[in-house]
Amino acid sequence: MLRKFAIAAAALSAAVVGVAFAAGEAEHPHDYPYSFDSPVGGYDMGQVQRGFQVYQQVCASCHGMDHLAYRHLGERGGPFAVYRVTNHETGEPELHVGQPAHGGTFVEVTDNPYVRAIAEAVIITDADPNSGQPADRPGRISDRFRSPFPNEIAARASNGGAYPVDLSVITLARHGGADYIRSLLAGYDGQTEGVLHHNPYFPGGWIAMPPPLVEGAVPYADGTATTVEQYATDVAAFLQWAGDPHMEQRKKTGLVVLAFLIVLAGLLYLAYKQVWRGESH
Amino acid sequence: MSGPSTYEPKTGFTRWLDKRLPIIRLGYDSFVAYPTPRNLNYWWTFGAMLSLCLAVQIITGIVLAMHYIPHVDEAFASVQRFKRDVSFGWLIQPIHAVGASMFFLAVYIHMFRGLYYGSYKAPREVLWILGCIIYLLMVVTGFLGYTLPWGQMSFWGATVITNILGAVPLVGESIQVWIRGGGAIDQPTLNRFFSLHYLLPFVIAGVVVLHIWALHESGQNNPTGVDVKSKADTVPFSPHATMKDLFATSLFLILFGVFVFYMPDALGHADNYIPANALQTPPEIVPEWYLLPFYAILRAVDFNVGPIDSKLGGVIAMFASIAVLFVLPWLDTSRVRSMRYRPIARQFFLIFVVVCIALGWCGGQNPGRLIVPATYNATLNWVQGGEVVEQPVQSAGEAGWDEAAAEAEEAMRAQGMTLVATTRTGASVGTVRGVRGGAPQSASVSAPSSDGLEEAITEAKEEHAAAAPYYMVERNIPGTFTVTNLSQVLTAYYFLFFLIILPLLGLRETPGRVPETIAKPVTTQTEGA
């Protein structure tokens, strides 16, 4: 009987690791108070813009976002949407990034200088219009976000066999959404094992992605602290916007629709009572 | 039931049309003058909501189909493009996805209402069966639709469900290949699933017409279960039932709206935002919430019954759980329709509702999850210091191994060695190890789960790693009650309810006093008040 349960185990070497994390178990992400958490909360567009900067300068070297085009950045509800407002002192029209508190007319994305600049700063490999051969050209606003690798095989080959996933809908594709992304990016504890890095928020605890964010690596123009945590917070907000760009519109419409339905329900209730008055039931 | 038509065309045109195509008469008789029992409660308003759901799904679905591309490389992206770039795509896609859930929510309430008030009994058996057919078509349509976005859960859900069909004896594999359009889920599968997903809602609409026809032939049941006897028992459908239905539907739409606008993804699974990948199985494969009870029944059968293996057994149980609904009118022997007057049946019914919800919960859990907490403990024995002795063991043949191993161990023990154990490395070869000398030690560890115990053992070993190379680990695995066990109990009740409780109870139960007419209790109640 004893033998049945007995295992003569070989000596344990110090190399046995990951004991604290049974496969699939991960620490619960921190609940960060994002502006979009509440049912009426929209995006903090300054934060989304900074997050885009972090994506562009850090994440984009390995991760694509195939479902996004540069024009999305400047469409209504996008972080670089531009509105034309009149300067009260000079009376001259000027451009304002983001919807002003009152007034302002939306500038179509084709006329948006910020989005154009962002797109043109990117080099896209395309067929040359004359020769048909692959050639580099500056990006256009209609281009999809530049893919860092031509295909999955190339991506794996450049990343030690691991595939940097597309980030278009990453906050929707992970439990915990933006909070998970934020906790993961700021959650590295410095342990490594071969090509794997330890991160308590990653299911299984070991992730192939090296810590991507370094303090001060992305300069912020608006004076926001350039810490790893701040970068993680901002880029998670950008990814949240990228996955759900119509959220603000949806929540606003929802408010009107629900208000309408509640009034309608009230009226229908009164009508129902009126119809059934005098009918026992 | 509806009686002779009371429609009188008023204008010249309607008189002319009535002689040629009495369609206005049909509408008037069916939805205006149609006599409705006056005591219908809010549980009777879900039929209207279901018609609305079907219309909403068909309309949003047609728009979606204008933009959707049924191609394995394009499907996922086409849904994204629809949500991002198409006008109101951000609204239409969530309405369709949430709409499926709302459709099932309403249909389940509608079915439970039918069960409670005995709406399946004569003369409404055909009405009930048509309803079961609609439900079955809804399940198939919902499943097909869930595969179309071609996310991980779409792909693997389709894989699991089509695998189930493979369990059918003799023809299973052929059916499986036929449905998939090949050996595995791939482009042909997606194409045909899209085609069928577009077709079936119109089939549902056709059966709904039959369902309403049958309803209007036999008349609506009502909370007392008593037949309509006179005009005093009824009110005209319009405006009485129409207004009540509209009011209840507006409440339903508020719930619908809360999900669409504020929690569009709450009812789905995050993994379906990962594009389908045939090479990567998700950590858990679960269907949408409305199919979880059947998934639990499928997985509850984890044992073989005679020649039926557990896989086929699960499939039989799952299909039987729906099939039993079709024969329900002949299983329930009670002559009283409404459980309002069946005090004992009502208790069993309430348990049945709880069981169905609990089955849904089970379907979403890891089958091995413990329901009752248990303590796993283990004792580790090792020798501090001492010398490790290792010898090869060879037996004459495969059959003689046990004997040879026991002999080798005995020989080592005879020399005063401790922690003697053999490791088999081949059919008839292995190693026997033991420790000579040293100080025997022992420690106990415990944890609330099997994985936790292994962790605790590993940790305990690490502590003494340097000095003690070998351990004897004695594990004490307690009896456990898992989600699978719970599902088995719940599944048993599910079938017990239909096959034993309802048939026997109908013969033995003494029902309460059933009112003579529909009008009587409501009018006396009002007079008394």
Side-chain angles (χ1 to χ4, degrees):
Chain A
M1 198 60 186
L2 181 75
R3 183 150 20 104
K4 206 171 170 189
F5 290 110
I7 287 176
L12 280 170
S13 75
V16 173
V17 286
V19 174
F21 297 96
E25 304 253 323
E27 210 163 298
H28 204 71
H30 291 289
D31 189 8
Y32 183 82
Y34 276 111
S35 59
F36 46 78
D37 283 345
S38 94
V40 290
Y43 292 113
D44 171 352
M45 284 306 180
Q47 187 179 48
V48 175
Q49 287 169 12
R50 291 195 301 273
F52 171 69
Q53 202 188 340
V54 175
Y55 166 75
Q56 196 73 334
Q57 294 181 23
V58 181
C59 317
S61 54
C62 295
H63 291 277
M65 291 183 86
D66 286 349
H67 302 301
L68 276 100
Y70 294 108
R71 67 182 162 81
H72 285 139
L73 296 167
E75 287 177 354
R76 280 178 205 272
F80 295 96
V82 160
Y83 289 79
R84 187 170 287 115
V85 291
T86 310
N87 187 313
H88 288 304
E89 287 166 16
T90 62
E92 291 291 307
E94 55 185 41
L95 295 179
H96 183 275
V97 179
Q99 188 156 21
H102 46 82
T105 39
F106 176 70
V107 176
E108 285 305 321
V109 65
T110 41
D111 298 326
N112 185 317
Y114 301 96
V115 174
R116 190 168 295 273
I118 288 168
E120 282 175 354
V122 178
I123 293 175
I124 301 282
T125 308
D126 197 358
D128 182 274
N130 298 316
S131 68
Q133 297 302 311
D136 289 347
R137 62 164 172 80
R140 305 183 192 116
I141 61 168
S142 58
D143 281 320
R144 300 266 142 183
F145 278 22
R146 193 185 78 93
S147 288
F149 303 103
N151 52 52
E152 188 180 329
I153 300 168
R156 283 189 189 279
S158 304
N159 287 283
Y163 179 53
V165 292
D166 187 274
L167 297 182
S168 307
V169 286
I170 195 74
T171 53
L172 297 171
R174 296 291 181 274
H175 293 287
D179 283 332
Y180 166 75
I181 301 296
R182 178 181 173 275
S183 293
L184 181 84
L185 291 176
Y188 286 87
D189 59 12
Q191 289 183 62
T192 56
E193 168 65 27
V195 295
L196 296 179
H197 302 264
H198 190 251
N199 193 316
Y201 299 99
F202 189 69
W206 293 91
I207 184 168
M209 177 171 73
L213 301 172
V214 180
E215 191 166 336
V218 181
Y220 278 159
D222 63 358
T224 307
T226 53
T227 58
V228 168
E229 198 179 316
Q230 186 63 42
Y231 291 151
T233 308
D234 293 348
V235 81
F238 165 69
L239 293 171
Q240 178 76 24
W241 169 81
D244 196 3
H246 294 289
M247 182 205 72
E248 290 184 341
Q249 195 181 358
R250 198 179 62 234
K251 284 179 175 176
K252 276 181 200 158
T253 313
L255 221 52
V256 177
V257 170
L258 289 182
F260 171 81
L261 283 174
I262 288 166
V263 172
L264 179 71
L267 290 174
L268 287 171
Y269 180 74
L270 294 175
Y272 154 68
K273 278 289 170 197
Q274 174 70 22
V275 164
W276 281 82
R277 206 173 50 170
E279 291 284 4
S280 47
H281 59 285
Chain B
M1 174 72 218
S2 311
S5 176
T6 56
Y7 171 69
E8 278 175 35
K10 299 239 158 53
T11 67
F13 170 72
T14 47
R15 270 193 296 274
W16 180 87
L17 185 66
D18 198 49
K19 287 241 175 338
R20 286 151 183 85
L21 177 71
I23 190 164
I24 302 178
R25 179 181 298 275
L26 177 71
Y28 182 84
D29 292 346
S30 306
F31 302 107
V32 181
Y34 176 68
T36 314
R38 63 168 60 239
N39 61 339
L40 296 189
N41 55 28
Y42 280 106
W43 300 112
W44 259 266
T45 59
F46 284 84
M49 296 173 203
L50 285 162
S51 320
L52 178 78
C53 282
L54 181 61
V56 165
Q57 290 304 91
I58 289 181
I59 293 166
T60 53
I62 287 173
V63 179
L64 274 158
M66 292 174 184
H67 300 271
Y68 174 75
I69 305 170
H71 187 284
V72 291
D73 296 331
E74 306 277 347
F76 188 90
S78 73
V79 175
Q80 280 298 317
R81 208 192 88 79
F82 182 79
K83 288 172 81 171
R84 288 167 193 273
D85 293 340
V86 173
S87 295
F88 291 98
W90 55 269
L91 180 59
I92 295 168
Q93 194 276 339
I95 289 178
H96 196 74
V98 171
S101 284
M102 300 310 292
F103 206 159
F104 276 95
L105 176 70
V107 89
Y108 283 134
I109 294 174
H110 193 66
M111 290 165 83
F112 278 126
R113 189 269 289 153
L115 280 175
Y116 184 79
Y117 293 110
S119 301
Y120 47 86
K121 292 189 190 188
R124 299 187 182 83
E125 301 95 323
V126 173
L127 174 62
W128 171 262
I129 289 170
L130 287 166
C132 292
I133 292 171
I134 294 172
Y135 172 67
L136 201 59
L137 287 167
M138 278 175 64
V139 168
V140 175
T141 311
F143 158 72
L144 293 171
Y146 195 52
T147 59
L148 300 185
W150 213 240
Q152 274 287 71
M153 218 39 91
S154 301
F155 182 89
W156 290 97
T159 305
V160 169
I161 299 296
T162 47
N163 271 342
I164 284 175
L165 298 167
V168 177
L170 302 173
V171 292
E173 266 179 61
S174 313
I175 292 177
Q176 193 181 320
V177 171
W178 182 65
I179 285 182
R180 287 177 174 174
I185 301 287
D186 210 331
Q187 181 59 46
T189 325
L190 181 58
N191 254 88
R192 64 193 53 202
F193 277 19
F194 177 53
S195 169
L196 292 172
H197 183 70
Y198 203 115
L199 168 72
L200 289 184
F202 297 97
V203 178
I204 291 177
V207 185
V208 165
V209 170
L210 297 181
H211 190 67
I212 294 173
W213 184 9
L215 171 74
H216 285 205
E217 203 52 38
S218 56
Q220 275 160 299
N221 186 26
N222 65 81
T224 60
V226 179
D227 286 330
V228 170
K229 295 204 173 66
S230 71
K231 220 167 176 277
D233 290 340
T234 63
V235 288
F237 188 82
S238 288
H240 294 80
T242 338
M243 277 320 299
K244 194 170 185 173
D245 284 353
L246 278 174
F247 168 59
T249 305
S250 66
L251 298 181
F252 179 72
L253 282 177
I254 290 172
L255 177 70
F256 200 144
V258 166
F259 274 104
V260 166
F261 292 105
Y262 298 102
M263 297 180 278
D265 297 308
L267 298 166
H269 196 290
D271 277 14
N272 226 27
Y273 276 104
I274 303 171
N277 183 348
L279 302 176
Q280 192 181 36
T281 316
E284 48 174 11
I285 302 172
V286 286
E288 293 238 89
W289 70 267
Y290 45 80
L291 299 178
L292 288 175
F294 299 105
Y295 196 50
I297 291 174
L298 174 78
R299 294 193 303 187
V301 184
D302 65 346
F303 46 86
N304 302 336
V305 185
I308 302 167
D309 66 0
S310 60
K311 191 179 171 190
L312 179 59
V315 175
I316 291 173
M318 187 176 72
F319 281 111
S321 66
I322 296 182
V324 73
L325 295 173
F326 282 79
V327 291
L328 173 63
W330 296 277
L331 289 174
D332 185 356
T333 51
S334 174
R335 274 179 300 170
V336 175
R337 285 203 191 97
S338 173
M339 288 203 192
R340 190 178 269 189
Y341 309 105
R342 299 180 63 192
I344 304 172
R346 186 162 59 197
Q347 312 291 324
F348 283 113
F349 172 80
L350 291 176
I351 298 172
F352 176 75
V353 174
V354 173
V355 162
C356 289
I357 294 169
L359 274 170
W361 179 82
C362 288
Q365 301 298 314
N366 182 339
R369 179 177 161 176
L370 295 181
I371 305 250
V372 181
T375 308
Y376 289 77
N377 47 52
T379 311
L380 287 93
N381 296 300
W382 74 96
V383 176
Q384 200 77 27
E387 179 202 353
V388 179
V389 180
E390 213 176 290
Q391 276 166 13
V393 183
Q394 175 93 40
S395 66
E398 204 177 323
W401 168 257
D402 285 341
E403 209 179 303
E407 233 171 72
E409 285 179 23
E410 204 44 56
M412 282 204 140
R413 285 206 191 87
Q415 295 172 39
M417 290 192 214
T418 50
L419 295 182
V420 177
T422 44
T423 316
R424 193 173 183 176
T425 54
S428 58
V429 288
T431 320
V432 61
R433 293 194 187 86
V435 182
R436 184 180 286 140
Q441 308 274 324
S442 145
S444 296
V445 290
S446 67
S449 72
S450 171
D451 286 345
L453 182 69
E454 294 310 314
E455 265 174 38
I457 291 172
T458 315
E459 265 172 47
K461 283 177 180 173
E462 264 185 337
E463 269 179 49
H464 311 283
Y470 296 118
Y471 288 88
M472 289 281 205
V473 182
E474 213 176 322
R475 285 174 176 78
N476 181 8
I477 309 297
T480 54
F481 190 72
T482 62
V483 165
T484 303
N485 301 130
L486 178 62
S487 306
Q488 285 160 351
V489 173
L490 297 172
T491 304
Y493 183 85
Y494 183 99
F495 286 106
L496 200 70
F497 179 75
F498 287 116
L499 299 175
I500 311 284
I501 295 173
L502 284 180
L504 289 186
L505 203 59
L507 302 173
R508 301 198 56 92
E509 186 184 34
T510 316
R513 207 169 63 83
V514 180
E516 283 154 41
T517 66
I518 292 171
K520 207 171 177 187
V522 285
T523 44
T524 49
Q525 199 180 17
T526 322
E527 278 160 19

